[in-house]
Amino acid sequence: MVNSVTNLGRSGVFDWMIQRVTAYVLALYTVFLFGFVLTTDINYDSWSALFDQTWFRIFTLLALLSIGAHAWVGLWTVTTDYIKATLPRFLVQALCGLAMFVYLVWGIQILWGL
């Protein structure tokens, strides 16, 4: 079993659970948005009304957090499998982690208008 400081979970089973739970959240979010687009005449007012609802902002925040966690576990797995040297692997993981953090903060700023 691989344990690392850059690993999100404590074990492979925990990482597997993170992948599955976040995949369900992202699937539900995608299905909801797809249904909304199909059943609603999309314009600025309808889109704004959807994002003005607190429950949808929380759902979107959950989707943002889920995509960050899902991407991190996936990228950690790929980098530990294919980049064997420690320094290049750490640099790639740090760069990916920084990019995910920036996207998460940016998404929260856009979502909540902070």
Side-chain angles (χ1 to χ4, degrees), residues 6 72 75 79 83 87-103:
T6 57
W72 179 255
L75 286 169
T79 55
I83 304 175
L87 182 61
R89 182 177 62 233
F90 176 76
L91 292 175
V92 169
Q93 288 175 346
L95 184 63
C96 290
L98 178 64
M100 284 184 269
F101 177 75
V102 168
Y103 290 144

mmCIF file of all heavy atoms in Angstrom, residues 6 72 75 79 83 87-103:
data_model
loop_
_atom_site.group_PDB
_atom_site.id
_atom_site.type_symbol
_atom_site.label_atom_id
_atom_site.label_comp_id
_atom_site.label_asym_id
_atom_site.label_seq_id
_atom_site.Cartn_x
_atom_site.Cartn_y
_atom_site.Cartn_z
ATOM 1 N N THR A 6 1.422 13.562 -0.382
ATOM 2 C CA THR A 6 0.568 14.146 -1.410
ATOM 3 C C THR A 6 -0.689 13.335 -1.676
ATOM 4 O O THR A 6 -1.525 13.747 -2.466
ATOM 5 C CB THR A 6 1.357 14.302 -2.722
ATOM 6 O OG1 THR A 6 1.858 13.031 -3.107
ATOM 7 C CG2 THR A 6 2.503 15.279 -2.555
ATOM 8 N N TRP A 72 -7.716 15.436 -8.037
ATOM 9 C CA TRP A 72 -6.483 15.226 -7.276
ATOM 10 C C TRP A 72 -6.164 13.737 -7.122
ATOM 11 O O TRP A 72 -5.031 13.325 -7.323
ATOM 12 C CB TRP A 72 -6.555 15.889 -5.906
ATOM 13 C CG TRP A 72 -5.287 15.623 -5.163
ATOM 14 C CD1 TRP A 72 -5.105 14.763 -4.136
ATOM 15 C CD2 TRP A 72 -3.998 16.169 -5.454
ATOM 16 N NE1 TRP A 72 -3.794 14.744 -3.745
ATOM 17 C CE2 TRP A 72 -3.087 15.607 -4.552
ATOM 18 C CE3 TRP A 72 -3.534 17.079 -6.402
ATOM 19 C CZ2 TRP A 72 -1.741 15.925 -4.568
ATOM 20 C CZ3 TRP A 72 -2.192 17.392 -6.411
ATOM 21 C CH2 TRP A 72 -1.308 16.823 -5.490
ATOM 22 N N LEU A 75 -5.035 12.450 -10.559
ATOM 23 C CA LEU A 75 -3.701 12.930 -10.925
ATOM 24 C C LEU A 75 -2.619 12.338 -10.028
ATOM 25 O O LEU A 75 -1.520 12.036 -10.496
ATOM 26 C CB LEU A 75 -3.655 14.458 -10.884
ATOM 27 C CG LEU A 75 -4.368 15.140 -12.045
ATOM 28 C CD1 LEU A 75 -4.501 16.638 -11.783
ATOM 29 C CD2 LEU A 75 -3.636 14.888 -13.348
ATOM 30 N N THR A 79 0.412 10.270 -11.610
ATOM 31 C CA THR A 79 1.795 10.728 -11.419
ATOM 32 C C THR A 79 2.620 9.709 -10.632
ATOM 33 O O THR A 79 3.797 9.525 -10.933
ATOM 34 C CB THR A 79 1.856 12.103 -10.727
ATOM 35 O OG1 THR A 79 1.142 12.063 -9.490
ATOM 36 C CG2 THR A 79 1.294 13.187 -11.618
ATOM 37 N N ILE A 83 5.515 8.745 -13.123
ATOM 38 C CA ILE A 83 6.691 9.582 -12.865
ATOM 39 C C ILE A 83 7.386 9.003 -11.647
ATOM 40 O O ILE A 83 6.963 9.219 -10.508
ATOM 41 C CB ILE A 83 6.305 11.064 -12.636
ATOM 42 C CG1 ILE A 83 5.502 11.597 -13.818
ATOM 43 C CG2 ILE A 83 7.559 11.901 -12.432
ATOM 44 C CD1 ILE A 83 4.980 13.011 -13.624
ATOM 45 N N LEU A 87 11.539 14.172 -7.351
ATOM 46 C CA LEU A 87 11.459 15.620 -7.571
ATOM 47 C C LEU A 87 10.537 15.995 -8.724
ATOM 48 O O LEU A 87 9.650 16.844 -8.537
ATOM 49 C CB LEU A 87 12.856 16.219 -7.765
ATOM 50 C CG LEU A 87 12.889 17.744 -7.946
ATOM 51 C CD1 LEU A 87 12.323 18.439 -6.711
ATOM 52 C CD2 LEU A 87 14.296 18.207 -8.236
ATOM 53 N N PRO A 88 10.669 15.400 -9.897
ATOM 54 C CA PRO A 88 9.722 15.748 -10.975
ATOM 55 C C PRO A 88 8.273 15.421 -10.616
ATOM 56 O O PRO A 88 7.367 16.193 -10.920
ATOM 57 C CB PRO A 88 10.186 14.909 -12.166
ATOM 58 C CG PRO A 88 11.597 14.592 -11.888
ATOM 59 C CD PRO A 88 11.721 14.510 -10.395
ATOM 60 N N ARG A 89 8.073 14.290 -9.937
ATOM 61 C CA ARG A 89 6.715 13.923 -9.532
ATOM 62 C C ARG A 89 6.148 14.951 -8.559
ATOM 63 O O ARG A 89 5.014 15.398 -8.701
ATOM 64 C CB ARG A 89 6.695 12.526 -8.901
ATOM 65 C CG ARG A 89 5.290 12.096 -8.507
ATOM 66 C CD ARG A 89 5.237 10.694 -7.942
ATOM 67 N NE ARG A 89 6.017 10.586 -6.726
ATOM 68 C CZ ARG A 89 6.953 9.678 -6.516
ATOM 69 N NH1 ARG A 89 7.243 8.796 -7.446
ATOM 70 N NH2 ARG A 89 7.596 9.638 -5.374
ATOM 71 N N PHE A 90 6.958 15.363 -7.585
ATOM 72 C CA PHE A 90 6.508 16.363 -6.624
ATOM 73 C C PHE A 90 6.194 17.689 -7.314
ATOM 74 O O PHE A 90 5.187 18.329 -6.997
ATOM 75 C CB PHE A 90 7.559 16.585 -5.531
ATOM 76 C CG PHE A 90 7.179 17.678 -4.572
ATOM 77 C CD1 PHE A 90 6.228 17.457 -3.597
ATOM 78 C CD2 PHE A 90 7.752 18.936 -4.684
ATOM 79 C CE1 PHE A 90 5.855 18.467 -2.734
ATOM 80 C CE2 PHE A 90 7.385 19.954 -3.826
ATOM 81 C CZ PHE A 90 6.436 19.725 -2.842
ATOM 82 N N LEU A 91 7.033 18.082 -8.264
ATOM 83 C CA LEU A 91 6.805 19.347 -8.969
ATOM 84 C C LEU A 91 5.512 19.309 -9.784
ATOM 85 O O LEU A 91 4.739 20.271 -9.785
ATOM 86 C CB LEU A 91 8.000 19.689 -9.852
ATOM 87 C CG LEU A 91 9.289 20.045 -9.117
ATOM 88 C CD1 LEU A 91 10.426 20.240 -10.103
ATOM 89 C CD2 LEU A 91 9.100 21.273 -8.240
ATOM 90 N N VAL A 92 5.276 18.194 -10.467
ATOM 91 C CA VAL A 92 4.037 18.055 -11.240
ATOM 92 C C VAL A 92 2.828 18.072 -10.302
ATOM 93 O O VAL A 92 1.827 18.743 -10.562
ATOM 94 C CB VAL A 92 4.062 16.770 -12.097
ATOM 95 C CG1 VAL A 92 2.693 16.475 -12.694
ATOM 96 C CG2 VAL A 92 5.101 16.886 -13.190
ATOM 97 N N GLN A 93 2.927 17.347 -9.191
ATOM 98 C CA GLN A 93 1.817 17.315 -8.235
ATOM 99 C C GLN A 93 1.592 18.689 -7.608
ATOM 100 O O GLN A 93 0.447 19.106 -7.409
ATOM 101 C CB GLN A 93 2.081 16.270 -7.158
ATOM 102 C CG GLN A 93 1.958 14.862 -7.652
ATOM 103 C CD GLN A 93 2.343 13.826 -6.612
ATOM 104 O OE1 GLN A 93 2.944 14.136 -5.591
ATOM 105 N NE2 GLN A 93 2.004 12.573 -6.887
ATOM 106 N N ALA A 94 2.662 19.397 -7.305
ATOM 107 C CA ALA A 94 2.528 20.738 -6.730
ATOM 108 C C ALA A 94 1.883 21.693 -7.725
ATOM 109 O O ALA A 94 1.006 22.480 -7.356
ATOM 110 C CB ALA A 94 3.891 21.268 -6.293
ATOM 111 N N LEU A 95 2.288 21.615 -8.977
ATOM 112 C CA LEU A 95 1.711 22.467 -10.008
ATOM 113 C C LEU A 95 0.223 22.162 -10.206
ATOM 114 O O LEU A 95 -0.607 23.069 -10.284
ATOM 115 C CB LEU A 95 2.470 22.294 -11.325
ATOM 116 C CG LEU A 95 2.040 23.192 -12.473
ATOM 117 C CD1 LEU A 95 2.280 24.658 -12.136
ATOM 118 C CD2 LEU A 95 2.790 22.810 -13.725
ATOM 119 N N CYS A 96 -0.114 20.880 -10.262
ATOM 120 C CA CYS A 96 -1.522 20.480 -10.400
ATOM 121 C C CYS A 96 -2.333 20.903 -9.178
ATOM 122 O O CYS A 96 -3.459 21.390 -9.307
ATOM 123 C CB CYS A 96 -1.630 18.975 -10.606
ATOM 124 S SG CYS A 96 -1.031 18.403 -12.199
ATOM 125 N N GLY A 97 -1.764 20.721 -7.983
ATOM 126 C CA GLY A 97 -2.456 21.130 -6.758
ATOM 127 C C GLY A 97 -2.679 22.624 -6.709
ATOM 128 O O GLY A 97 -3.758 23.086 -6.317
ATOM 129 N N LEU A 98 -1.696 23.398 -7.136
ATOM 130 C CA LEU A 98 -1.841 24.847 -7.168
ATOM 131 C C LEU A 98 -2.916 25.264 -8.160
ATOM 132 O O LEU A 98 -3.760 26.116 -7.853
ATOM 133 C CB LEU A 98 -0.501 25.501 -7.527
ATOM 134 C CG LEU A 98 -0.514 27.022 -7.635
ATOM 135 C CD1 LEU A 98 -0.841 27.651 -6.278
ATOM 136 C CD2 LEU A 98 0.823 27.524 -8.150
ATOM 137 N N ALA A 99 -2.906 24.646 -9.340
ATOM 138 C CA ALA A 99 -3.924 24.962 -10.347
ATOM 139 C C ALA A 99 -5.326 24.628 -9.825
ATOM 140 O O ALA A 99 -6.258 25.433 -9.969
ATOM 141 C CB ALA A 99 -3.648 24.203 -11.637
ATOM 142 N N MET A 100 -5.481 23.466 -9.180
ATOM 143 C CA MET A 100 -6.794 23.096 -8.632
ATOM 144 C C MET A 100 -7.230 24.051 -7.537
ATOM 145 O O MET A 100 -8.401 24.415 -7.451
ATOM 146 C CB MET A 100 -6.776 21.658 -8.133
ATOM 147 C CG MET A 100 -6.841 20.653 -9.241
ATOM 148 S SD MET A 100 -6.947 18.981 -8.642
ATOM 149 C CE MET A 100 -5.227 18.576 -8.572
ATOM 150 N N PHE A 101 -6.298 24.475 -6.698
ATOM 151 C CA PHE A 101 -6.620 25.434 -5.634
ATOM 152 C C PHE A 101 -7.073 26.767 -6.235
ATOM 153 O O PHE A 101 -8.070 27.340 -5.792
ATOM 154 C CB PHE A 101 -5.412 25.629 -4.720
ATOM 155 C CG PHE A 101 -5.642 26.650 -3.645
ATOM 156 C CD1 PHE A 101 -6.434 26.349 -2.551
ATOM 157 C CD2 PHE A 101 -5.081 27.912 -3.735
ATOM 158 C CE1 PHE A 101 -6.667 27.298 -1.560
ATOM 159 C CE2 PHE A 101 -5.302 28.859 -2.759
ATOM 160 C CZ PHE A 101 -6.097 28.548 -1.665
ATOM 161 N N VAL A 102 -6.340 27.245 -7.232
ATOM 162 C CA VAL A 102 -6.708 28.516 -7.879
ATOM 163 C C VAL A 102 -8.091 28.404 -8.510
ATOM 164 O O VAL A 102 -8.930 29.302 -8.361
ATOM 165 C CB VAL A 102 -5.649 28.918 -8.921
ATOM 166 C CG1 VAL A 102 -6.138 30.053 -9.810
ATOM 167 C CG2 VAL A 102 -4.351 29.325 -8.221
ATOM 168 N N TYR A 103 -8.361 27.297 -9.212
ATOM 169 C CA TYR A 103 -9.677 27.112 -9.831
ATOM 170 C C TYR A 103 -10.783 27.030 -8.785
ATOM 171 O O TYR A 103 -11.884 27.563 -8.986
ATOM 172 C CB TYR A 103 -9.697 25.869 -10.712
ATOM 173 C CG TYR A 103 -8.878 26.001 -11.970
ATOM 174 C CD1 TYR A 103 -8.184 24.926 -12.482
ATOM 175 C CD2 TYR A 103 -8.789 27.209 -12.656
ATOM 176 C CE1 TYR A 103 -7.426 25.034 -13.631
ATOM 177 C CE2 TYR A 103 -8.035 27.337 -13.797
ATOM 178 C CZ TYR A 103 -7.351 26.246 -14.286
ATOM 179 O OH TYR A 103 -6.612 26.357 -15.427
#
